[in-house]
Amino acid sequence: MLMFQFRLFAYFCFLRQETGQSVLQVSISLNKVELSVGDSKFIKCTVIGEPVKVEWFNPQGERIVSSPRVALHTGEDSSRLTIYRAVVEDAGIYRCQATNAEGQTQEATMVLEMYQKLAFRDVKSPQEFRHGETAEVVCDVISSPAPAVSWFYQKGSKSRFQVLPNNNLQIHKVTKVDEGVYRCEARVEARGEINFVDIEVVVNVPPVLSVVQQSFNATADYQESVTFTCITSGSPDPEVTWHRKGQQLERSEQYVLNNLEGGRSTLTIRNILQGDGGDYTCRATNKAGSEERELFLKVFVQPHITQLRNVTAVEGSAAMISCVAEGEPVPEISWRRASDGRSFSQDGRVDVRGRHGRSMLTISGVKLPDLGRFDCEALSRIGGHQKSMFLDIEYMPKFQNNQTIFYSWEGNPVNISCDVKSNPPATMLWRRERLTISAEGTANTRVHTTDGKSLLEVTPVSDRDFGRYNCTARNNIGAKYQEFILAQADVPSNPYSVRLSAVSQRSATVTFMKPDSHGGVPIGHYLVNYKEVGSQDWRDVKSHGVQTTVLLTGLEPNTTYEVRVAAVNGKGQGEFSHTESFQSLPIREPSPPAVHGQRGVGKAYRLGLVKQDDGGMPIVEYIVKYKTDKEDQWMTKLVSGQHDFALLQPLQWNTRYEVEITARNVKGLSEPTFYQFFMPQKPDIIDSLFSGLGLGPVVGLGLAGLLLVLVVVDVSCYFLRQCGLLMCITRKICSKKTTTSGKSKEMEEGKAAYLGDGSKDPIVEMRTEEERITNHDGSPVHEPNETTPLTEPDELAKHIFYFLWDSHSTVDQNSIKQKMSTTKKIN
């Protein structure tokens, strides 16, 4: 190459000498240049001669102008072309041209060949694919010449793998098993160039979602909670969200969201209300896709009446009562009247219509009995609710008076009552002969008005005050009036049909019929006159109120009397009836007494005596005879006539008795009354003690027994411990006796006394625990035992103890007397 350039240079010099002109010679340092894409290179062009200018032309024939990537550095006889970071488009033939002053040009060329090193362009790792799709793992590698690409992977079936013309790796129906690291290796054999890249393939599995239970039931307003559960799987792990009515639910006091192990996600709805019912969506989402499931919450709501109002209707019109209730399921509505419990449906004047929680009760031609409370009840299978309303009926005044005629007399005030029932309340006005009586009244009239009632007080002073009076009642529904008559009263007519009954020696009963006319004024009482025949002095007896039976008492036996009756009202006493005569009975023997009996205490029997007719004289006594049914001899018992019972005792057990009772007065004996009774078997001691006793005696016996136990305990304490109340008593008694017996000196000195029989054992004395008990010689005294002889106080206590014990264990009076006698001897 250098030789060629030298020969060329010599040739140009020869030409220049021959012609006498300046000849240009252009040369480039390198005729052929290989450049890698991205590398930089400079090329030098040398000119021999006298060039005026040196220029470079690119492969496209364009003159090269300096730029940041392609730079020119030109001197007097050379020029340097620098290409920075070459690209494939820079390849081609470059010309270096020189021009002299005469315009002659000479050029040299250089061939630039570009080649690409192995390069991986934007190869991403990891590359993610969806499960089941055909995956194409991209390995974008470039080189010049084109590289040979190989793929390497340890797992998987080769049948599903294919290298595409673009060098990418295709995996048919990619699965989770195909996940891993793949190596893409490129080689350029001409240059011995090799490179590789590792690509991680990730297979994303779309979420799979299932629900444990799709629908739930709950009752509102009972603070219930319901938990929805979704179970998800997928890769990567899906994110679970809960939705309702298109809105995603967030954590709150009402909504509790939890993600548990095993892909379980829960939504807990707390304190369920009616509005919480409906569809809920569980949605699972990851890179591979999303899936959702619908869950349904059925909320049952207790029936609740939301609309029911009181209604006011005018009598005769129609009343319409509406009841609206809510609940799930929708409740059925029924009606009931509270006054009589009657239920309503389609019946006569009553019409009930409605459905879906609404009902209208219509009552046509409202009447006063319809007034009152009505109950609306809403029922469903989960409960019920009842609410009440009041139907008020307005009506024009109605007079309640049954009496329209009143009686009085001059100077006697009378109240004429105008009773009115109305709704709303009525105003009342009195008139007399078309003249209105003011509320202040007149000289002999006065008006007293209360709710629904007006009293006209009239004090007649002349005949003109008697006659007709008018009461007018008015409200906004209408007006009514009622007429009253004030008539002059009279005394009653005479009673009649006077009869005498139950006539005895001392009394008689008078009966009679009411008079035909009470004179316009109610009868206050009846006056009965009676006297002995031949006497002029009538005695008066008033009836109790308006009773038509009067008892006459204090009569003389065997005497004739006359009787008459008159009625008395406010006006005065009416005429007497016809006079009737009767005769009282003469004195005679009494009637047989009535007898009833009951068992007494122990061997006693109580006979109750009921006096019948005493014959006109007091009963002096009752003669009671009794005997057993196996004996012939009667026993007699006299009982005072003032007593009402006879007590028979002592009687025999398990025996039947016959009784004959006769009453006696001064006139003689009555007929006898016969009676029988039976005495039962002898009771045991418990029955004998408590039979016939009430609660008081039983409690008394219990207290007595308790007292006896206390006494026994006290005596026991005396013998065993030398203490107790009995010890104190015997000490005092024995102290007195020892004083009189001449032993006081020894007791005062505290010496031991000896028994009369010469025993040397000391008498036991009571001392406190602080006292030291010693003998005369100072040695300690031994405590008494069961063999220690008793002193005189001990003997006394012993007899008292035996006496109390025996008195408790037996009821024999002779034994008690003997014990008491023994006690006296001891004392």
Side-chain angles (χ1 to χ4, degrees):
M1 184 71 180
L2 292 176
M3 182 61 71
F4 174 76
Q5 290 179 350
F6 177 76
R7 289 178 179 179
L8 181 63
F9 176 73
Y11 176 72
F12 278 116
C13 289
F14 173 75
L15 289 178
R16 183 175 181 181
Q17 291 176 357
E18 290 291 325
T19 59
Q21 296 179 352
S22 176
V23 178
L24 295 175
Q25 184 181 357
V26 180
S27 64
I28 298 177
S29 58
L30 297 174
N31 292 329
K32 183 178 180 181
V33 176
E34 291 184 354
L35 186 61
S36 175
V37 174
D39 290 345
S40 299
K41 194 83 172 178
F42 71 90
I43 305 163
K44 187 175 180 181
C45 176
T46 303
V47 179
I48 298 175
E50 297 179 354
V52 177
K53 60 179 178 180
V54 178
E55 295 175 319
W56 285 88
F57 293 90
N58 61 21
Q60 287 79 28
E62 299 172 348
R63 187 173 64 86
I64 298 174
V65 180
S66 290
S67 66
R69 202 175 65 80
V70 179
L72 291 176
H73 299 280
T74 303
E76 291 182 358
D77 56 359
S78 65
S79 178
R80 186 175 70 240
L81 173 66
T82 303
I83 301 174
Y84 296 99
R85 297 185 181 87
V87 296
V88 175
E89 289 78 8
D90 292 335
I93 300 174
Y94 287 79
R95 292 182 298 124
C96 177
Q97 186 181 69
T99 305
N100 60 15
E102 287 79 14
Q104 293 178 349
T105 62
Q106 189 67 33
E107 64 181 23
T109 61
M110 182 271 298
V111 177
L112 177 62
E113 293 182 356
M114 296 295 301
Y115 70 93
Q116 176 69 55
K117 289 184 179 181
L118 282 175
F120 295 95
R121 296 187 299 182
D122 297 329
V123 177
K124 296 180 180 180
S125 180
Q127 295 185 27
E128 298 184 8
F129 303 96
R130 181 185 174 98
H131 175 84
E133 69 180 2
T134 298
E136 184 174 339
V137 186
V138 176
C139 182
D140 188 3
V141 58
I142 59 173
S143 71
S144 178
V149 176
S150 301
W151 287 87
F152 299 92
Y153 183 55
Q154 297 179 354
K155 299 184 295 183
S157 173
K158 295 183 179 180
S159 61
R160 294 189 296 109
F161 294 84
Q162 180 182 0
V163 178
L164 300 177
N166 59 1
N167 296 325
N168 292 341
L169 175 65
Q170 185 184 72
I171 306 174
H172 184 65
K173 293 183 178 180
V174 66
T175 65
K176 197 69 176 173
V177 178
D178 299 326
E179 274 192 340
V181 177
Y182 290 73
R183 174 164 293 185
C184 175
E185 184 179 278
R187 299 184 308 279
V188 179
E189 297 290 343
R191 292 193 299 271
E193 188 177 2
I194 186 171
N195 201 358
F196 69 89
V197 65
D198 288 335
I199 303 172
E200 181 182 1
V201 173
V202 176
V203 179
N204 295 325
V205 180
V208 176
L209 191 152
S210 62
V211 294
V212 177
Q213 182 177 342
Q214 192 165 7
S215 63
F216 295 81
N217 295 331
T219 303
D221 304 320
Y222 277 84
Q223 297 184 345
E224 288 189 16
S225 297
V226 167
T227 299
F228 297 143
T229 302
C230 279
I231 302 176
T232 60
S233 62
S235 182
D237 291 338
E239 178 186 0
V240 178
T241 55
W242 294 86
H243 302 263
R244 181 166 187 257
K245 297 180 179 179
Q247 299 293 326
Q248 181 175 338
L249 301 181
E250 303 293 340
R251 295 180 186 272
S252 64
E253 291 186 1
Q254 184 181 12
Y255 299 118
V256 179
L257 305 174
N258 285 314
N259 292 321
L260 307 176
E261 295 180 356
R264 299 170 69 91
S265 297
T266 62
L267 165 65
T268 300
I269 307 172
R270 303 172 57 188
N271 299 328
I272 292 176
L273 303 176
Q274 180 178 1
D276 294 329
D279 292 322
Y280 290 78
T281 301
C282 174
R283 182 177 299 163
T285 306
N286 66 4
K287 295 179 180 180
S290 65
E291 187 174 3
E292 60 184 34
R293 289 286 184 273
E294 297 289 339
L295 298 96
F296 184 74
L297 175 60
K298 178 73 171 180
V299 178
F300 294 98
V301 182
Q302 288 272 11
H304 179 71
I305 297 174
T306 59
Q307 179 181 327
L308 183 65
R309 298 185 179 90
N310 294 336
V311 173
T312 300
V314 178
E315 183 181 18
S317 66
M320 303 179 69
I321 308 170
S322 175
C323 182
V324 179
E326 295 178 349
E328 180 62 37
V330 178
E332 295 291 334
I333 293 179
S334 61
W335 294 89
R336 183 173 61 254
R337 185 162 56 194
S339 60
D340 55 6
R342 178 185 174 189
S343 298
F344 291 100
S345 56
Q346 199 78 18
D347 182 19
R349 296 185 301 113
V350 180
D351 181 27
V352 178
R353 294 186 180 181
R355 55 184 302 184
H356 300 304
R358 293 178 176 269
S359 181
M360 178 71 72
L361 173 67
T362 303
I363 305 176
S364 302
V366 172
K367 300 179 182 179
L368 287 184
D370 298 326
L371 175 75
R373 192 187 86 201
F374 286 79
D375 298 330
C376 173
E377 186 173 20
L379 289 174
S380 71
R381 66 174 180 268
I382 67 167
H385 183 216
Q386 178 177 307
K387 202 170 183 180
S388 301
M389 59 78 61
F390 188 84
L391 174 60
D392 190 22
I393 300 176
E394 294 184 342
Y395 53 92
M396 63 190 310
K398 300 178 184 295
F399 290 97
Q400 306 298 306
N401 303 71
N402 293 325
Q403 181 182 357
T404 58
I405 300 177
F406 293 82
Y407 291 89
S408 187
W409 56 92
E410 294 179 4
N412 178 63
V414 64
N415 290 330
I416 302 176
S417 177
C418 182
D419 295 339
V420 174
K421 185 178 180 181
S422 64
N423 186 25
T427 58
M428 286 173 281
L429 191 66
W430 287 95
R431 287 187 176 87
R432 165 74 168 158
E433 295 179 354
R434 298 185 179 180
L435 297 177
T436 301
I437 301 175
S438 65
E440 292 76 13
T442 61
N444 62 330
T445 60
R446 187 173 300 174
V447 178
H448 306 277
T449 302
T450 59
D451 293 339
K453 190 172 187 178
S454 181
L455 293 176
L456 176 63
E457 181 183 352
V458 181
T459 304
V461 295
S462 65
D463 292 344
R464 294 184 56 188
D465 294 327
F466 295 96
R468 300 178 182 274
Y469 291 83
N470 181 277
C471 175
T472 301
R474 184 187 307 275
N475 65 5
N476 59 357
I477 307 300
K480 278 193 175 183
Y481 71 92
Q482 187 172 29
E483 192 173 71
F484 299 91
I485 298 175
L486 178 58
Q488 294 195 45
D490 197 358
V491 296
S493 59
N494 60 283
Y496 59 93
S497 297
V498 179
R499 298 286 185 271
L500 276 301
S501 61
V503 178
S504 65
Q505 290 82 3
R506 301 289 181 178
S507 63
T509 300
V510 181
T511 59
F512 49 87
M513 301 292 290
K514 294 181 180 180
D516 294 333
S517 172
H518 53 63
V521 182
I523 295 174
H525 64 276
Y526 293 96
L527 183 65
V528 178
N529 283 175
Y530 71 100
K531 68 179 183 66
E532 296 180 9
V533 174
S535 173
Q536 299 298 320
D537 298 328
W538 291 90
R539 287 184 281 180
D540 298 335
V541 178
K542 288 184 179 180
S543 65
H544 294 287
V546 293
Q547 292 183 1
T548 57
T549 299
V550 177
L551 177 64
L552 304 180
T553 59
L555 303 181
E556 293 294 330
N558 199 26
T559 304
T560 303
Y561 289 88
E562 293 179 335
V563 179
R564 60 184 183 181
V565 183
V568 181
N569 66 3
K571 181 70 178 290
Q573 177 181 319
E575 295 181 356
F576 280 102
S577 65
H578 294 293
T579 302
E580 297 291 337
S581 299
F582 72 94
Q583 185 174 1
S584 59
L585 299 179
I587 294 175
R588 60 173 181 81
E589 298 83 0
S591 299
V595 179
H596 59 85
Q598 67 180 45
R599 181 185 171 188
V601 178
K603 294 183 177 182
Y605 194 85
R606 179 187 174 98
L607 291 174
L609 305 174
V610 181
K611 180 180 69 174
Q612 302 300 305
D613 185 5
D614 60 6
M617 293 299 288
I619 293 178
V620 177
E621 63 183 1
Y622 293 99
I623 303 169
V624 180
K625 295 182 179 182
Y626 62 99
K627 70 178 184 67
T628 66
D629 58 353
K630 298 179 180 179
E631 296 177 349
D632 295 332
Q633 185 178 357
W634 291 87
M635 290 177 284
T636 303
K637 184 179 183 67
L638 300 180
V639 180
S640 172
Q642 297 179 353
H643 292 174
D644 58 356
F645 72 92
L647 187 63
L648 305 182
Q649 64 178 356
L651 303 177
Q652 300 178 22
W653 298 113
N654 195 26
T655 304
R656 182 176 298 279
Y657 281 84
E658 298 177 357
V659 183
E660 180 182 303
I661 306 100
T662 305
R664 184 177 69 85
N665 64 5
V666 297
K667 188 67 175 179
L669 297 173
S670 69
E671 294 293 327
T673 299
F674 299 98
Y675 185 78
Q676 291 184 350
F677 64 89
F678 182 78
M679 288 296 290
Q681 295 281 354
K682 180 180 179 180
D684 55 26
I685 185 169
I686 300 301
D687 292 339
S688 65
L689 287 175
F690 296 103
S691 61
L693 295 182
L695 178 61
V698 171
V699 173
L701 288 174
L703 294 176
L706 178 61
L707 180 60
L708 182 60
V709 170
L710 294 176
V711 172
V712 172
V713 171
D714 187 68
V715 173
S716 301
C717 290
Y718 172 78
F719 284 114
L720 300 177
R721 297 292 182 182
Q722 298 301 313
C723 59
L725 180 62
L726 183 58
M727 182 65 188
C728 296
I729 296 173
T730 55
R731 291 278 296 174
K732 290 183 179 180
I733 295 174
C734 292
S735 294
K736 293 180 181 180
K737 285 191 176 185
T738 53
T739 301
T740 58
S741 64
K743 298 181 181 179
S744 59
K745 185 177 180 179
E746 292 180 351
M747 295 297 290
E748 291 174 357
E749 294 176 355
K751 297 180 179 180
Y754 293 89
L755 297 176
D757 58 0
S759 173
K760 301 303 181 179
D761 294 329
I763 298 176
V764 178
E765 296 186 41
M766 293 297 295
R767 300 181 186 275
T768 62
E769 293 180 358
E770 291 80 4
E771 298 183 45
R772 295 177 58 86
I773 304 175
T774 59
N775 292 323
H776 298 292
D777 58 0
S779 61
V781 176
H782 296 288
E783 293 295 328
N785 51 35
E786 295 178 356
T787 62
T788 304
L790 297 175
T791 62
E792 187 177 2
D794 296 332
E795 293 293 335
L796 175 59
K798 178 179 179 181
H799 285 290
I800 294 174
F801 174 78
Y802 288 152
F803 168 70
L804 293 174
W805 180 263
D806 290 347
S807 63
H808 172 68
S809 61
T810 181
V811 295
D812 190 351
Q813 297 181 1
N814 295 329
S815 176
I816 295 175
K817 290 179 180 180
Q818 292 176 3
K819 297 298 181 182
M820 294 177 64
S821 175
T822 304
T823 304
K824 289 180 180 178
K825 291 178 181 180
I826 294 172
N827 293 335

